[in-house]
Amino acid sequence: MTHYDLHCHSTASDGALSPEHLVERAVQQGVDVLALTDHDGTEGIVAATRAAAGSPLTLIPGVEISVSWYGSTIHIVGLNIDITNTELQSGLATLREYRQQRAEEIARRLAKSGIADALEGASQYASKTMLGRMHFAQFLMEKGYAADTKDVFKRFLVRGKPGYVPGQWTDLSSAVEWITGAGGQAVIAHPLRYKITATKLRRLIEDFKAVGGQAIEVSSGQQHPDQLRNIAALAKRYDLLASCGSDFHSPEQRWTELGRFLPLPASCTPVWSLWQ
Ligand code: AMP
Ligand code: MN
Ligand code: MN
Ligand code: MN
């Protein structure tokens, strides 16, 4: 059976592996079809596609777009997108500019709590185009402020902590339009990771459908079978296609691996049914 992993990150956003090494590892892990879905950019797609061309793996061009929705940050994955689409690319460029401003603000706030030079420090871990909280996490760990990523986020980078800046990303309808306008499918990423109530999640799904969203990530890394069943039921109820992906970032994060997540239940219609 073809093994799909439709969510992962490279050094083009906050992943640890280059697109080439990511493709190599995916092949080793038995993945047949891999979507590279870096945050707010597609810089890694060309290199990943080139690497896949010399391997048994099929590379799907993707992206993970940051969205602000009623005070929450929501991630919308775009699959099978045309990365030359100009509206998509100009939208993503505005998000990366915002990332730069937010990074400056994060650094100012960290400086106020006694941590100097965080912008320069974080930038050393980032590509030229995309600066994220993971890069600040790496800097803070390097300086000995925390031992691992989970710890550093909890102590410095989430709501109520010194380096937290509330996100001001794009809106749900723009993200879905950029993706569908570029010929792709919009997918609600990791739906149970948003710390929103079940009622609010249903409202998110309704809003997402109303603006043309088609799919939801039913299976992602580190998920309990009960959670999988819950999302599969939502997918069925709202007539959404199902996606799956590891959200792999780094070999050092031992709790995730490329291709490793529960299989989609038989009740689901996979998003790739549109690709055949
Ligand atoms: P950003 O889009 O720059 O705000 O960063 C979001 C990214 O930070 C996510 O995609 C994860 O890679 C990482 N992240 C967020 N929260 C945590 C956490 N609690 N532990 C580890 N990584 C996290
Ligand atoms: Mn990330
Ligand atoms: Mn995400
Ligand atoms: Mn992700």
Side-chain angles (χ1 to χ4, degrees):
M1 220 173 70
T2 311
H3 194 28
Y4 290 79
D5 185 338
L6 302 179
H7 187 156
C8 68
H9 298 271
S10 76
T11 46
S13 66
D14 56 4
L17 302 184
S18 67
E20 292 85 351
H21 283 127
L22 196 68
V23 166
E24 191 184 314
R25 191 178 182 95
V27 171
Q28 285 165 0
Q29 296 296 327
V31 174
D32 301 298
V33 181
L34 180 75
L36 176 57
T37 56
D38 278 310
H39 296 285
D40 305 324
T42 61
E43 215 196 349
I45 299 292
V46 170
T49 306
R50 205 182 304 126
S55 85
L57 186 129
T58 302
L59 197 284
I60 303 289
V63 67
E64 181 174 18
I65 300 181
S66 309
V67 164
S68 290
W69 180 81
Y70 295 102
S72 294
T73 294
I74 304 293
H75 286 171
I76 302 296
V77 160
L79 295 175
N80 225 357
I81 46 170
D82 170 10
I83 61 165
T84 67
N85 183 277
T86 48
E87 273 106 287
L88 169 70
Q89 288 301 344
S90 69
L92 297 177
T94 60
L95 288 174
R96 292 195 301 272
E97 277 158 34
Y98 168 67
R99 280 187 171 280
Q100 194 62 39
Q101 291 167 29
R102 183 191 66 156
E104 288 163 20
E105 182 60 25
I106 291 174
R108 269 194 293 275
R109 293 187 190 198
L110 288 175
K112 272 191 202 158
S113 64
I115 301 171
D117 302 324
L119 186 62
E120 297 71 20
S123 299
Q124 288 183 345
Y125 290 98
S127 77
K128 281 188 285 297
T129 54
M130 186 276 179
L131 200 46
R133 281 186 293 167
M134 190 75 95
H135 306 118
F136 282 93
Q138 285 168 287
F139 163 74
L140 290 165
M141 287 187 288
E142 169 204 308
K143 293 291 173 196
Y145 288 105
D148 61 60
T149 32
K150 284 189 177 174
D151 193 31
V152 81
F153 269 86
K154 203 166 66 193
R155 290 174 52 199
F156 294 96
L157 298 169
V158 296
R159 201 185 297 264
K161 300 299 165 168
Y164 177 72
V165 177
Q168 291 168 30
W169 307 105
T170 192
D171 56 35
L172 188 61
S173 66
S174 300
V176 173
E177 274 165 31
W178 298 341
I179 292 164
T180 53
Q185 287 78 47
V187 185
I188 298 178
H190 42 64
L192 297 186
R193 230 187 283 158
Y194 298 121
K195 298 190 177 108
I196 57 177
T197 63
T199 310
K200 210 168 167 196
L201 177 58
R202 288 195 296 272
R203 203 167 299 145
L204 170 65
I205 293 173
E206 284 160 14
D207 282 6
F208 176 70
K209 285 213 66 162
V211 297
Q214 280 182 292
I216 189 164
E217 237 171 50
V218 171
S219 185
S220 46
Q222 273 206 300
Q223 218 175 26
H224 194 275
D226 287 342
Q227 296 178 311
L228 180 84
R229 274 191 288 274
N230 282 344
I231 316 172
L234 284 172
K236 200 167 177 61
R237 171 172 168 188
Y238 288 99
D239 196 22
L240 287 165
L241 297 170
S243 187
C244 56
S246 60
D247 203 5
F248 176 83
H249 281 75
S250 163
E252 280 175 23
Q253 299 183 345
R254 305 305 274 272
W255 58 92
T256 60
E257 183 53 86
L258 286 164
R260 196 176 302 161
F261 43 81
L262 296 167
L264 288 181
S267 65
C268 291
T269 308
V271 64
W272 55 84
S273 66
L274 297 174
W275 303 345
Q276 263 100 53

